Amino acid sequence: MLSQMLKSVTSQSQTRQRALATFLTSVRRNGTVSEASFETQLYKLHLLEEPPSATATCTRDEALLFYHQMQIVRRMESASSNLYKEKAIRGFCHLYSGQEAICVGIKAALRPQDSVITAYRDHGWAYVMGCSVVGIMAELTGRAQGVARGKGGSMHMYTKNFYGGNGIVGAQVPVGAGVALANKYLENGGINVALYGDGAANQGQLFEAYNMAKLMNLPSVFICENNGYGMGTSIDRAAASTNYYTRGNYVPGIWIDGMDVLSVREAIKYCVDYCTSGKGPLVLEVATYRYHGHSMSDPGTSYRTRDEIQEVRQTRDPIMLFKEHIVGADLVTADELKKIDSEVRKEVDEAVKIAKSDKEIAVQELAADVYSNPLESSIRGTTPFDPYTHQRLSKITNLH
């Protein structure tokens, strides 16, 4: 099943890329310039002398791509919110609205050999790393066309070089250090980006990961997505030091404005150069904001005001800011972006229809591919009296 799943994901990703390329070609002829330069937002440094680039060059094709990706993520999360309220999505569901510039900006700087691991706010990450909109939405509703056949759900999506969303707070960070160790051992030149929230930043296992990564000078980039609140607790009430980019102590760090996609991209380019030169890990803090509550069970307004959320939407929204920059620089026209908006709406709406109507896998398949080499064929169910028989539906596949 795993190989079939990966082939399906790869096929969907390639189809999506071809469709996107065709679409971007259809709109790119209307622009007035092919490239523009922008000033990046101010970076703060810890144990570093040279900051990332003060300017960022953006081509017309990149502008269209980044805008399209951020709008897809925003629209997917809006659709996910509605599906959850309809009870089509069950269990936990954490939305990424407001943080789109982070996943899009980071992915724009990564190379094929680089990898990412994140926490449970992972829908946008699954998309930029190669999962299709249909695969993500169907996974959320537990359907067979989901990226994990509907068995993973919101917090567990994976594809090549994306080691998924992880439901245990902070646990993905030492795993990311392990992936970086594998990169160093295999000498493939890749870096690993491990993301966590400000709520996880006080976890002891993070500091253990920093220590091991620095001892071995691993190509690790540890990134705190600081959206201001760990569940319902503001950072000022949760941490004695809210300068998360300095938390590595002996590990150099950078503070980034996470609402500016180009500033994020330039910072990650810097990280790639730094880590691949053998200097070891970096700790980044990306300042951002989430529009929804911690999860769908949290209204998000008991510990902050609606006015606060609205102010961010009106003054710091990452999509709005990027739109203003690229239209103002004559890279694109407002009409072209409206066309992208329309195409995004259509793509997500069609994916939602599939996610609500697609079949679920058979109950027997729940025990498929649990082990690569099972010593016993019987797998315990919810009680000892309802076991499953292990199935192998896939061959061993190299995920790297």
Side-chain angles (χ1 to χ4, degrees), residues 20-88:
L20 180 58
T22 301
F23 172 65
L24 294 181
T25 299
S26 71
V27 298
R28 71 164 60 97
R29 301 187 183 94
N30 300 318
T32 56
V33 299
S34 60
E35 188 175 277
S37 292
F38 303 90
E39 290 186 3
T40 55
Q41 299 301 306
L42 180 67
Y43 299 104
K44 301 176 186 177
L45 304 180
H46 171 65
L47 298 182
L48 292 169
E49 295 182 359
E50 293 294 327
S53 177
T55 60
T57 299
C58 183
T59 67
R60 177 172 163 71
D61 284 355
E62 288 173 335
L64 292 167
L65 174 63
F66 299 162
Y67 182 82
H68 181 274
Q69 289 178 320
M70 288 196 288
Q71 283 288 36
I72 282 280
V73 176
R74 178 70 58 88
R75 178 66 61 171
M76 279 199 313
E77 297 299 58
S78 177
S80 299
S81 175
N82 293 332
L83 287 170
Y84 193 92
K85 292 171 183 175
E86 296 171 13
K87 297 185 178 181

Side-chain angles (χ1 to χ4, degrees), residues 187-345:
E187 298 181 346
N188 60 19
I191 71 166
N192 176 263
V193 174
L195 299 110
Y196 55 96
D198 52 274
N202 300 317
Q203 287 267 333
Q205 57 191 326
L206 270 69
F207 298 93
E208 295 175 14
Y210 298 163
N211 181 59
M212 289 185 286
K214 186 59 182 175
L215 275 174
M216 293 181 276
N217 276 336
L218 301 180
S220 289
V221 182
F222 302 109
I223 301 183
C224 175
E225 294 182 284
N226 180 5
N227 60 31
Y229 299 92
M231 296 187 71
T233 304
S234 69
I235 57 173
D236 295 326
R237 295 177 56 219
S241 170
T242 57
N243 293 321
Y244 296 103
Y245 69 103
T246 69
R247 290 286 197 91
N249 191 7
Y250 41 80
V251 179
I254 309 172
W255 180 95
I256 308 163
D257 185 340
M259 304 305 255
D260 183 70
V261 64
L262 295 180
S263 294
V264 174
R265 185 192 66 175
E266 293 306 309
I268 301 304
K269 286 182 178 179
Y270 178 99
C271 293
V272 169
D273 291 340
Y274 184 96
C275 291
T276 55
S277 66
K279 296 178 182 177
L282 289 166
V283 173
L284 273 54
E285 175 186 349
V286 184
T288 185
Y289 196 86
R290 57 170 165 81
Y291 294 156
H292 296 276
H294 170 71
S295 69
M296 284 300 298
S297 60
D298 167 25
T301 53
S302 59
Y303 47 86
R304 59 183 183 176
T305 65
R306 295 183 186 276
D307 289 342
E308 176 184 315
I309 303 169
Q310 192 62 24
E311 181 183 4
V312 177
R313 283 183 176 273
Q314 293 175 350
T315 62
R316 295 177 55 213
D317 182 78
I319 300 177
M320 176 196 73
L321 292 175
F322 188 62
K323 178 179 179 179
E324 291 176 353
H325 288 158
I326 59 179
V327 171
D330 290 330
L331 274 175
V332 301
T333 67
D335 287 340
E336 290 172 328
L337 299 187
K338 287 181 181 178
K339 185 176 181 181
I340 290 178
D341 294 343
S342 177
E343 291 292 325
V344 165
R345 186 179 304 110

Side-chain angles (χ1 to χ4, degrees), residues 101-152:
I102 301 176
C103 62
V104 172
I106 292 176
K107 179 59 174 68
L110 297 182
R111 305 155 304 157
Q113 66 267 44
D114 300 325
S115 58
V116 174
I117 188 168
T118 190
Y120 35 71
R121 212 175 298 279
D122 65 342
H123 310 158
W125 270 108
Y127 174 74
V128 299
M129 292 300 289
C131 296
S132 69
V133 177
V134 169
I136 293 167
M137 301 308 297
E139 187 62 32
L140 288 169
T141 56
R143 307 299 173 126
Q145 290 190 52
V147 295
R149 301 280 291 164
K151 296 197 288 186

